[in-house]
Amino acid sequence: MKDFIFQNTDRVYFGKNALDYLGAEIKKYGKRVLLVYGGGSIKKNGLYDAVVNAVKAEGLKLFELSGVEPNPRHTTANKGAMICKKNKIDVVLAVGGGSTIDCAKGVAAAAVTKSGEVWDLVKTYTWVGKALPVIAVLTNAATGSEMDEWAVISNMDTNEKIGLGGDALIPKAAFENPEYSYTLPEYQTACGAFDIFNHVLDNYYLAGEDSFDLITEFQEAVMRAVVKWAPVAMKEPENYEARANLMWASSMALNGILDAGTLHNCACHAMEHELSAYYDITHGHGLAIVAPRWLTYILDEKTAPQIYRFGVKVFGLKEGMEEFEGAKAAIKALETFCFETLGLKKNLSDLGIDETHFKAMAEHACRGSAITGPKTLTPADVEEIYKMCL
Ligand code: NZQ
Ligand code: ZN
């Protein structure tokens, strides 16, 4: 394993009464609050009213940025930053899924810069050390943004979708009441679940030559939880146990704990972000299409034992198979999970995507060099994987 430093300063309030603490928590950071939310799901499920009441009960002054898009745009974050500057906002409160939280982080970072333009930070890969405090109320178990240091921002003018990172982007507090994910549509539940799964899978093989058994076991436990509870949540959207398991799995997958001692890397994520940058597809669905093809592409004598172990530990394959056969069975089990259990469409062509931009997307995904990981992928490799997804 590698040496590591671990710190995560997010305070998580988890459970049915989490919002009872919201007003007091926000107040620690100031009185002028920008509430950021998406297309209106929080108005339909009552969360908007609950949040506004909690904020007002503490005598805080509320401003709003609504209409954050799935795959949040830099232009929306800029709009929020302007509101912050104009109204001397103290704290940014995100209420929604990963897109809303990411946009709020973009707002918080841009608001303390001279230009107020988030893309100035994103395009220069600036590590954000200074931002307004962000507080997140989570409604979708998926991205881990509620506990991590990343905000993924899209620029649709240039077909770019890039992660903005920084210590200052870790939310000061996250509020996770699984009940607020009851209204999540089945498709988003499936996509979110696969996003969680893939955050772990992307990092699973990277402890290096010396393994780190505890972390590998943690990772497998999180993936197993997704395999077990995602279908339950899809069938019974109001199953608290299922929603709670997925929500905490979302936070665990990217809060740094499962990265310990590994070389965090993200081959599928690098490839998927290009798909959503060019075609505005749902992130988790893109990942589900790419992941089994990626494993098929990297399968060789060196990777076969690890891929087979994944099949045994996560999907319950029997032990004792020949390693190559076992690895193929593991990939088959992953495909069954993605395309049958989660019911996601299997091919990029099903989403209206053809080869037109594969070359440019592959080059972007490799950021001018290659994607490292269990197997280094050049732009030519990435293009090949995209073709396998057609
Ligand atoms: O817009 P609203 O009304 O909020 O509706 C959303 C949206 O239409 C809806 N939704 C969310 N919670 C709901 C709900 N509808 C009913 N009831 C609820 N409780 O679901 C739709 C999708 O929401 P979105 O926030 O886009 O989904 P998700 O949480 O999957 O976030 C995806 C974004 O996060 C990025 C993705 O690339 C994508 O842009 N990621 C962020 C990461 C991070 N910050 O660390 C890492 C991830 O790998 C990922 O890249
Ligand atoms: Zn993801």
Side-chain angles (χ1 to χ4, degrees):
M1 76 191 76
K2 313 283 171 206
D3 292 356
F4 63 90
I5 298 170
F6 173 79
Q7 182 179 19
N8 191 311
T9 47
D10 198 341
R11 173 189 289 256
V12 179
Y13 295 85
F14 195 99
K16 295 182 182 179
N17 298 317
L19 279 198
D20 292 355
Y21 305 93
L22 180 67
E25 188 64 36
I26 298 172
K27 215 174 168 181
K28 288 183 191 167
Y29 301 97
K31 289 205 156 146
R32 300 170 77 80
V33 183
L34 177 66
L35 168 63
V36 180
Y37 60 98
S41 64
I42 64 162
K43 289 207 163 160
K44 290 194 197 119
N45 67 11
L47 181 54
Y48 176 87
D49 289 338
V51 166
V52 169
N53 289 339
V55 171
K56 293 208 165 145
E58 291 290 339
L60 308 173
K61 188 155 172 56
L62 203 59
F63 299 80
E64 285 195 18
L65 172 70
S66 62
V68 175
E69 315 80 358
N71 299 324
R73 315 300 201 249
H74 71 298
T75 44
T76 309
N78 291 346
K79 217 165 113 186
M82 280 306 137
I83 299 175
C84 291
K85 280 175 174 292
K86 198 170 146 216
N87 298 288
K88 301 200 170 4
I89 295 294
D90 299 310
V91 49
V92 183
L93 171 63
V95 183
S99 296
T100 293
I101 302 172
D102 284 4
C103 182
K105 290 177 179 180
V107 168
V112 299
T113 66
K114 197 161 175 233
S115 72
E117 300 271 337
V118 74
W119 203 250
D120 290 349
L121 300 168
V122 177
K123 75 174 183 226
T124 50
Y125 300 97
T126 302
W127 191 253
V128 180
K130 198 173 155 227
L132 293 177
V134 174
I135 289 181
V137 179
L138 182 66
T139 63
N140 184 11
T143 65
S145 186
E146 66 278 8
M147 266 196 98
D148 77 14
E149 60 201 6
W150 294 99
V152 184
I153 306 291
S154 291
N155 182 334
M156 290 310 189
D157 304 332
T158 56
N159 291 124
E160 286 175 288
K161 178 173 180 176
I162 299 176
L164 175 68
D167 300 340
L169 299 183
I170 298 179
K172 299 292 180 213
F175 292 80
E176 304 189 21
N177 179 347
E179 291 174 330
Y180 286 116
S181 62
Y182 285 174
T183 49
L184 196 66
E186 189 177 317
Y187 175 71
Q188 289 298 339
T189 301
C191 291
F194 196 75
D195 191 21
I196 300 167
F197 187 97
N198 196 267
H199 290 149
V200 184
L201 179 65
D202 258 355
N203 194 29
Y204 181 58
Y205 302 104
L206 298 170
E209 293 301 317
D210 310 317
S211 63
F212 192 175
D213 187 54
L214 176 65
I215 292 301
T216 308
E217 295 276 350
F218 274 171
Q219 292 175 329
E220 287 158 352
V222 172
M223 288 191 278
R224 274 200 305 275
V226 174
V227 170
K228 178 172 175 180
W229 292 107
V232 179
M234 288 168 70
K235 267 202 211 81
E236 301 166 33
E238 301 198 5
N239 184 314
Y240 187 84
E241 173 91 16
R243 293 294 189 186
N245 272 276
L246 291 175
M247 207 166 246
W248 197 228
S250 161
S251 298
M252 284 298 115
L254 273 191
N255 67 3
I257 287 176
L258 301 189
D259 287 4
T262 72
L263 271 178
H264 185 87
N265 221 314
C266 43
C268 295
H269 270 70
M271 290 187 269
E272 194 296 312
H273 280 167
E274 296 305 317
L275 292 168
S276 35
Y278 274 79
Y279 295 99
D280 202 13
I281 64 170
T282 301
H283 172 62
H285 194 169
L287 291 171
I289 293 174
V290 169
R293 276 64 175 231
W294 168 65
L295 282 183
T296 304
Y297 193 81
I298 67 166
L299 174 59
D300 62 16
E301 277 175 13
K302 191 163 166 256
T303 58
Q306 294 163 300
I307 296 175
Y308 179 29
R309 175 184 163 129
F310 159 73
V312 171
K313 296 285 196 157
V314 176
F315 290 110
L317 295 185
K318 66 175 189 304
E319 292 188 68
M321 290 166 81
E322 189 276 318
E323 278 173 346
F324 230 82
E325 287 315 303
K328 282 188 189 158
I331 296 170
K332 182 87 200 100
L334 177 63
E335 283 181 344
T336 305
F337 177 62
C338 293
F339 308 126
E340 292 178 27
T341 310
L342 297 181
L344 297 170
K345 291 201 166 87
K346 189 173 179 173
N347 299 310
L348 291 180
S349 54
D350 298 326
L351 305 183
I353 298 175
D354 63 20
E355 294 191 38
T356 311
H357 300 293
F358 282 179
K359 201 171 170 47
M361 285 161 53
E363 274 160 17
H364 278 170
C366 293
R367 300 260 180 271
S369 60
I371 303 174
T372 54
K375 201 162 179 174
T376 299
L377 302 175
T378 64
D381 295 318
V382 172
E383 211 178 328
E384 210 45 51
I385 295 171
Y386 284 141
K387 286 183 186 158
M388 290 164 71
C389 296
L390 276 171

PDB file of all heavy atoms in Angstrom, residues 122-138:
ATOM      1  N   VAL A 122     -11.760  26.261 -13.404  1.00  0.00           N
ATOM      2  CA  VAL A 122     -11.855  24.887 -13.917  1.00  0.00           C
ATOM      3  C   VAL A 122     -10.811  24.638 -14.986  1.00  0.00           C
ATOM      4  O   VAL A 122     -10.075  23.655 -14.929  1.00  0.00           O
ATOM      5  CB  VAL A 122     -13.279  24.628 -14.480  1.00  0.00           C
ATOM      6  CG1 VAL A 122     -13.370  23.241 -15.084  1.00  0.00           C
ATOM      7  CG2 VAL A 122     -14.342  24.811 -13.406  1.00  0.00           C
ATOM      8  N   LYS A 123     -10.734  25.524 -15.931  1.00  0.00           N
ATOM      9  CA  LYS A 123      -9.870  25.265 -17.096  1.00  0.00           C
ATOM     10  C   LYS A 123      -8.383  25.302 -16.735  1.00  0.00           C
ATOM     11  O   LYS A 123      -7.551  24.745 -17.435  1.00  0.00           O
ATOM     12  CB  LYS A 123     -10.206  26.195 -18.260  1.00  0.00           C
ATOM     13  CG  LYS A 123      -9.727  27.599 -18.094  1.00  0.00           C
ATOM     14  CD  LYS A 123      -9.971  28.416 -19.361  1.00  0.00           C
ATOM     15  CE  LYS A 123      -9.403  29.802 -19.164  1.00  0.00           C
ATOM     16  NZ  LYS A 123     -10.212  30.892 -19.558  1.00  0.00           N
ATOM     17  N   THR A 124      -8.064  25.964 -15.619  1.00  0.00           N
ATOM     18  CA  THR A 124      -6.658  26.016 -15.195  1.00  0.00           C
ATOM     19  C   THR A 124      -6.358  24.949 -14.130  1.00  0.00           C
ATOM     20  O   THR A 124      -5.268  24.936 -13.556  1.00  0.00           O
ATOM     21  CB  THR A 124      -6.328  27.407 -14.621  1.00  0.00           C
ATOM     22  OG1 THR A 124      -7.343  27.743 -13.655  1.00  0.00           O
ATOM     23  CG2 THR A 124      -6.311  28.480 -15.691  1.00  0.00           C
ATOM     24  N   TYR A 125      -7.322  24.073 -13.877  1.00  0.00           N
ATOM     25  CA  TYR A 125      -7.161  23.007 -12.863  1.00  0.00           C
ATOM     26  C   TYR A 125      -6.692  23.572 -11.527  1.00  0.00           C
ATOM     27  O   TYR A 125      -5.861  22.999 -10.835  1.00  0.00           O
ATOM     28  CB  TYR A 125      -6.201  21.915 -13.362  1.00  0.00           C
ATOM     29  CG  TYR A 125      -6.696  21.265 -14.634  1.00  0.00           C
ATOM     30  CD1 TYR A 125      -6.223  21.669 -15.879  1.00  0.00           C
ATOM     31  CD2 TYR A 125      -7.673  20.266 -14.595  1.00  0.00           C
ATOM     32  CE1 TYR A 125      -6.702  21.093 -17.052  1.00  0.00           C
ATOM     33  CE2 TYR A 125      -8.160  19.687 -15.761  1.00  0.00           C
ATOM     34  CZ  TYR A 125      -7.662  20.098 -16.978  1.00  0.00           C
ATOM     35  OH  TYR A 125      -8.151  19.528 -18.121  1.00  0.00           O
ATOM     36  N   THR A 126      -7.225  24.729 -11.180  1.00  0.00           N
ATOM     37  CA  THR A 126      -6.850  25.371  -9.911  1.00  0.00           C
ATOM     38  C   THR A 126      -7.344  24.535  -8.729  1.00  0.00           C
ATOM     39  O   THR A 126      -8.496  24.103  -8.714  1.00  0.00           O
ATOM     40  CB  THR A 126      -7.499  26.780  -9.842  1.00  0.00           C
ATOM     41  OG1 THR A 126      -7.049  27.518 -10.973  1.00  0.00           O
ATOM     42  CG2 THR A 126      -7.156  27.502  -8.553  1.00  0.00           C
ATOM     43  N   TRP A 127      -6.486  24.294  -7.769  1.00  0.00           N
ATOM     44  CA  TRP A 127      -6.891  23.598  -6.538  1.00  0.00           C
ATOM     45  C   TRP A 127      -7.485  24.649  -5.605  1.00  0.00           C
ATOM     46  O   TRP A 127      -6.812  25.600  -5.230  1.00  0.00           O
ATOM     47  CB  TRP A 127      -5.693  22.894  -5.902  1.00  0.00           C
ATOM     48  CG  TRP A 127      -6.097  21.967  -4.790  1.00  0.00           C
ATOM     49  CD1 TRP A 127      -5.907  22.166  -3.453  1.00  0.00           C
ATOM     50  CD2 TRP A 127      -6.776  20.714  -4.934  1.00  0.00           C
ATOM     51  NE1 TRP A 127      -6.434  21.106  -2.757  1.00  0.00           N
ATOM     52  CE2 TRP A 127      -6.972  20.200  -3.631  1.00  0.00           C
ATOM     53  CE3 TRP A 127      -7.252  19.982  -6.019  1.00  0.00           C
ATOM     54  CZ2 TRP A 127      -7.619  18.977  -3.391  1.00  0.00           C
ATOM     55  CZ3 TRP A 127      -7.885  18.775  -5.775  1.00  0.00           C
ATOM     56  CH2 TRP A 127      -8.064  18.280  -4.475  1.00  0.00           C
ATOM     57  N   VAL A 128      -8.758  24.500  -5.284  1.00  0.00           N
ATOM     58  CA  VAL A 128      -9.477  25.576  -4.591  1.00  0.00           C
ATOM     59  C   VAL A 128      -9.196  25.532  -3.080  1.00  0.00           C
ATOM     60  O   VAL A 128      -9.612  24.606  -2.385  1.00  0.00           O
ATOM     61  CB  VAL A 128     -11.000  25.462  -4.846  1.00  0.00           C
ATOM     62  CG1 VAL A 128     -11.750  26.578  -4.119  1.00  0.00           C
ATOM     63  CG2 VAL A 128     -11.294  25.503  -6.346  1.00  0.00           C
ATOM     64  N   GLY A 129      -8.504  26.550  -2.622  1.00  0.00           N
ATOM     65  CA  GLY A 129      -8.168  26.614  -1.198  1.00  0.00           C
ATOM     66  C   GLY A 129      -9.027  27.619  -0.463  1.00  0.00           C
ATOM     67  O   GLY A 129      -8.993  27.721   0.765  1.00  0.00           O
ATOM     68  N   LYS A 130      -9.792  28.391  -1.252  1.00  0.00           N
ATOM     69  CA  LYS A 130     -10.609  29.439  -0.628  1.00  0.00           C
ATOM     70  C   LYS A 130     -11.964  29.460  -1.327  1.00  0.00           C
ATOM     71  O   LYS A 130     -12.027  29.509  -2.569  1.00  0.00           O
ATOM     72  CB  LYS A 130      -9.894  30.780  -0.835  1.00  0.00           C
ATOM     73  CG  LYS A 130     -10.354  31.852   0.072  1.00  0.00           C
ATOM     74  CD  LYS A 130      -9.484  33.100  -0.072  1.00  0.00           C
ATOM     75  CE  LYS A 130     -10.299  34.302   0.356  1.00  0.00           C
ATOM     76  NZ  LYS A 130     -10.214  35.409  -0.555  1.00  0.00           N
ATOM     77  N   ALA A 131     -13.027  29.400  -0.548  1.00  0.00           N
ATOM     78  CA  ALA A 131     -14.378  29.445  -1.119  1.00  0.00           C
ATOM     79  C   ALA A 131     -15.334  29.795   0.002  1.00  0.00           C
ATOM     80  O   ALA A 131     -14.992  29.661   1.190  1.00  0.00           O
ATOM     81  CB  ALA A 131     -14.754  28.073  -1.698  1.00  0.00           C
ATOM     82  N   LEU A 132     -16.527  30.218  -0.367  1.00  0.00           N
ATOM     83  CA  LEU A 132     -17.557  30.375   0.658  1.00  0.00           C
ATOM     84  C   LEU A 132     -17.875  28.992   1.219  1.00  0.00           C
ATOM     85  O   LEU A 132     -17.759  27.986   0.509  1.00  0.00           O
ATOM     86  CB  LEU A 132     -18.827  30.978   0.048  1.00  0.00           C
ATOM     87  CG  LEU A 132     -18.730  32.425  -0.440  1.00  0.00           C
ATOM     88  CD1 LEU A 132     -20.053  32.850  -1.085  1.00  0.00           C
ATOM     89  CD2 LEU A 132     -18.370  33.357   0.708  1.00  0.00           C
ATOM     90  N   PRO A 133     -18.311  28.913   2.487  1.00  0.00           N
ATOM     91  CA  PRO A 133     -18.677  27.596   3.023  1.00  0.00           C
ATOM     92  C   PRO A 133     -19.906  27.032   2.309  1.00  0.00           C
ATOM     93  O   PRO A 133     -20.834  27.768   1.985  1.00  0.00           O
ATOM     94  CB  PRO A 133     -18.982  27.886   4.495  1.00  0.00           C
ATOM     95  CG  PRO A 133     -19.061  29.358   4.634  1.00  0.00           C
ATOM     96  CD  PRO A 133     -18.406  29.999   3.462  1.00  0.00           C
ATOM     97  N   VAL A 134     -19.859  25.714   2.068  1.00  0.00           N
ATOM     98  CA  VAL A 134     -20.971  25.034   1.394  1.00  0.00           C
ATOM     99  C   VAL A 134     -21.608  24.055   2.373  1.00  0.00           C
ATOM    100  O   VAL A 134     -20.900  23.330   3.086  1.00  0.00           O
ATOM    101  CB  VAL A 134     -20.455  24.242   0.166  1.00  0.00           C
ATOM    102  CG1 VAL A 134     -21.579  23.416  -0.462  1.00  0.00           C
ATOM    103  CG2 VAL A 134     -19.831  25.180  -0.864  1.00  0.00           C
ATOM    104  N   ILE A 135     -22.934  24.047   2.392  1.00  0.00           N
ATOM    105  CA  ILE A 135     -23.672  23.054   3.183  1.00  0.00           C
ATOM    106  C   ILE A 135     -24.584  22.308   2.208  1.00  0.00           C
ATOM    107  O   ILE A 135     -25.184  22.924   1.315  1.00  0.00           O
ATOM    108  CB  ILE A 135     -24.454  23.742   4.326  1.00  0.00           C
ATOM    109  CG1 ILE A 135     -23.424  24.222   5.362  1.00  0.00           C
ATOM    110  CG2 ILE A 135     -25.472  22.786   4.956  1.00  0.00           C
ATOM    111  CD1 ILE A 135     -23.980  24.901   6.574  1.00  0.00           C
ATOM    112  N   ALA A 136     -24.649  20.981   2.351  1.00  0.00           N
ATOM    113  CA  ALA A 136     -25.398  20.180   1.366  1.00  0.00           C
ATOM    114  C   ALA A 136     -26.530  19.406   2.019  1.00  0.00           C
ATOM    115  O   ALA A 136     -26.334  18.747   3.041  1.00  0.00           O
ATOM    116  CB  ALA A 136     -24.443  19.205   0.681  1.00  0.00           C
ATOM    117  N   VAL A 137     -27.706  19.498   1.412  1.00  0.00           N
ATOM    118  CA  VAL A 137     -28.825  18.621   1.792  1.00  0.00           C
ATOM    119  C   VAL A 137     -29.014  17.680   0.611  1.00  0.00           C
ATOM    120  O   VAL A 137     -29.363  18.105  -0.484  1.00  0.00           O
ATOM    121  CB  VAL A 137     -30.112  19.435   2.071  1.00  0.00           C
ATOM    122  CG1 VAL A 137     -31.259  18.494   2.443  1.00  0.00           C
ATOM    123  CG2 VAL A 137     -29.880  20.465   3.174  1.00  0.00           C
ATOM    124  N   LEU A 138     -28.771  16.411   0.845  1.00  0.00           N
ATOM    125  CA  LEU A 138     -28.684  15.445  -0.257  1.00  0.00           C
ATOM    126  C   LEU A 138     -30.034  14.799  -0.569  1.00  0.00           C
ATOM    127  O   LEU A 138     -30.747  14.372   0.336  1.00  0.00           O
ATOM    128  CB  LEU A 138     -27.682  14.344   0.130  1.00  0.00           C
ATOM    129  CG  LEU A 138     -27.421  13.267  -0.907  1.00  0.00           C
ATOM    130  CD1 LEU A 138     -26.732  13.853  -2.135  1.00  0.00           C
ATOM    131  CD2 LEU A 138     -26.550  12.145  -0.310  1.00  0.00           C
TER     132      LEU A 138
END
